[in-house]
Amino acid sequence: MTALAPAGVEATARITAVPDGLGGTRLPVLESDGPLALRRTRGAGAYARVTVVGAMSAPLGGDRLAIEAGVRDGAALTVDSAAATVALPGRGGRPARYDVRLTAGAGACLRWLPEPLISARGSDLRMTTRVELAACARLVLREEQVLGRYGEETGTLTTRLTVHRAGRPLLDQELAYGPGAPGGWDGAAVLGGNRAAGQLLVVRPEFEHSPPETALLGDNGVLTPLAGPAVLVTAVAADALGLRRVLDRALRTFG
Amino acid sequence: MDTTSTHGASPGAARAALLVLADGRFPAGGHAHSGGAEAAVKAGRIREATDLAAFCRGRLHTSGLTSAALAAAAAAGADPLALDEAADARTPSPALRATARKLGRQLMRAARAAWPCDALDALAAARPRGAHQPVVLGVTARAAGLGPEDAAHCVAYESVGGPATAVVRLLGLDPFEATAVLARLAPELDQVARRAAEAGRRALTEGPGTLPAASAPLLDITAQAHAAWPVRLFAS
Amino acid sequence: MHLDHSHDTTTAVSADAARPDGTRRALRIGLGGPVGSGKTATVAALCRALRDTFSIAVVTNDIYTREDAEFLLRNAVLPPERIQAVETGACPHTAIRDDISANLEAVEDLEDAVGPLDLILVESGGDNLTATFSKGLVDAQVFVIDVAGGDDIPRKGGPGVTTADLLVVNKTDLAPYVGSDLGRMARDAQDQRGELPVAFTSLTSGEGVKPVADWVRARLAAWSA
């Protein structure tokens, strides 16, 4: 599956989670590919857990990476990562792609909690995350974008997070930062000089009838109920640590 | 009074109607909204014209583009209710969803007086508490004989015109400077409107999911805080 | 022109005298005038004088807060669901005259929320002497000035003083202290206004608002006739 062409790496890692019939979850499909190495790690309760191990620094310019995770009806899966993902420039100066495709079926639970994505100077990454949820699926999803390693200028980073529930749009958000982004991304409307931005999305069917109330999380974070049965935490911070602090507050409540 | 004349025009052929619709005096409630500028001023993020320029540029390329594309799609004839749903998914802040629907309802009132037609009546009946303002604007543009580019231009301009006017009132900023900020953004406004119009047309065949969803974290965050202020000059 | 087209409307456009279901809607009276002349106090006194006879609601147009609405709430002149604040983006005259869309919404929302009303008082935020209400928003308007603002205000005229359906000169009890000549104010007002009525009030006494309340009663009688 891995193609090591001069154009860059093309790799797709796959996970499928199904109920094991004993109240737990098993993983009939657990396919690592190229730089995306998957390890089954110790889960909690009904959850199976998979940790993405960064076998090499990725994605590099020109790479096309993807992860597909499917949680079938009644299964429960946590996916996290061992370290931050660092987008680095490739030799040709071409953009890299990183596509995450997640599905969760009826009564399924998915916790997608990777470490931050760091946009290193000179890199150009286009990331998409597409989530398809059944009406009664549950989701906790975290995304963090960090612009530049410590003291470094940022690369160019665009992300799009699209979540559908029962076939209807629930959340659609595109972010674009860095030298290749349209103007104003660092101004008072978008980041205001902050270098880390993040989202924590929690989808629960019961929010349909009792949605959590809006809550301000300090000066630069907010928890908002969406039009559908979900809440989104949106936060910006000077650095990754400050951002995680805000998102963790909400994760403790809703995780 | 003959009200059928606008309906005979081919879409996109009208021009004066665009001036009427885009006029800051068009009575659709926009004057009471700062587009997030009041919160940015209070936080100290906008102090002078250069900050205003960065704010407007960021807003234009994020929520401005997203809204312009929704309007363009509506003007092109896409299903307004599907677009309204797409707008909800693109607006995570309840305060901003409420503002968009309130302004949509106010625009609907003015639009039905100016360009009465079945499409506006149908949308008003389906969303009596207001559809998202860009969707109403797109349907209005179509009723006025305007095309997707016109609707996109109108919304893109609104996305920066409102904050610029508000900052003049909030900071006592020199109005000439504020106008110069808008004038210098004109080429980018054209660019955003073109992109939005293309996306709007594409949405006719490929669905609203293909429309841009560009968002601005600080606008979403500060809108909620602003909505809770006991004392403020602007409604949003 | 909206009356000419055949489309069914789900909401009334502007000042159509009937509700969408064909019944006569509430009479809307606007109250405007300079800052501090006693508009909110007049609204509060009117509510107290009329609330037992009529079903009333109030829309306030504050400059930058909900202060006037809060004042009315604190003084419990009406239940909270009968008071709505419109935010005006620092320009109350725009919200009552040039772009009345938010006020029309507030008026409709009140009728939806608390049922058929007899009277809706629309109070403008304090503004200057040129601020008047759109005929698309109100059926009649009251302009409130006070003796402490200077007894030459009626002579100076301006759209509010000249054209309002009722001119109220408030705080007459202060006239001796601020050197205002009530007789002169009355003569000047008549010169400017011809047959249009003028009421002199002092809201410090319990019955102080009576001339205004009587005028409102007469308008209500004419409206529902």
Side-chain angles (χ1 to χ4, degrees), chain B residues 29 106 113 118 121 169 232, chain C residues 1 7 64 87 89 99 101 105:
Chain B
Q106 289 178 251
D118 294 337
D121 290 348
R169 290 189 206 163
R232 57 181 184 234
Chain C
M1 97 180 186
H7 301 282
Y64 55 86
E87 290 173 294
D99 182 351
S101 54
E105 228 108 273

Side-chain angles (χ1 to χ4, degrees), chain B residues 84-141:
Chain B
D84 199 48
E85 189 180 54
D88 261 349
R90 285 160 175 71
T91 318
S93 155
L96 293 181
R97 287 198 297 276
T99 296
R101 292 195 180 281
K102 190 171 166 57
L103 285 173
R105 186 175 162 200
Q106 289 178 251
L107 172 59
M108 177 62 81
R109 184 186 299 273
R112 290 169 85 193
W115 297 284
C117 70
D118 294 337
L120 286 167
D121 290 348
L123 182 55
R127 292 283 178 277
R129 304 296 303 170
H132 279 256
Q133 192 265 5
V135 178
V136 180
L137 191 130
V139 176
T140 303

Side-chain angles (χ1 to χ4, degrees), chain B residues 1-28:
Chain B
M1 194 178 296
D2 177 25
T3 55
T4 58
S5 54
T6 54
H7 300 157
S10 61
R15 177 167 289 173
L18 177 60
L19 297 179
V20 175
L21 182 59
D23 191 335
R25 288 163 297 190
F26 193 74

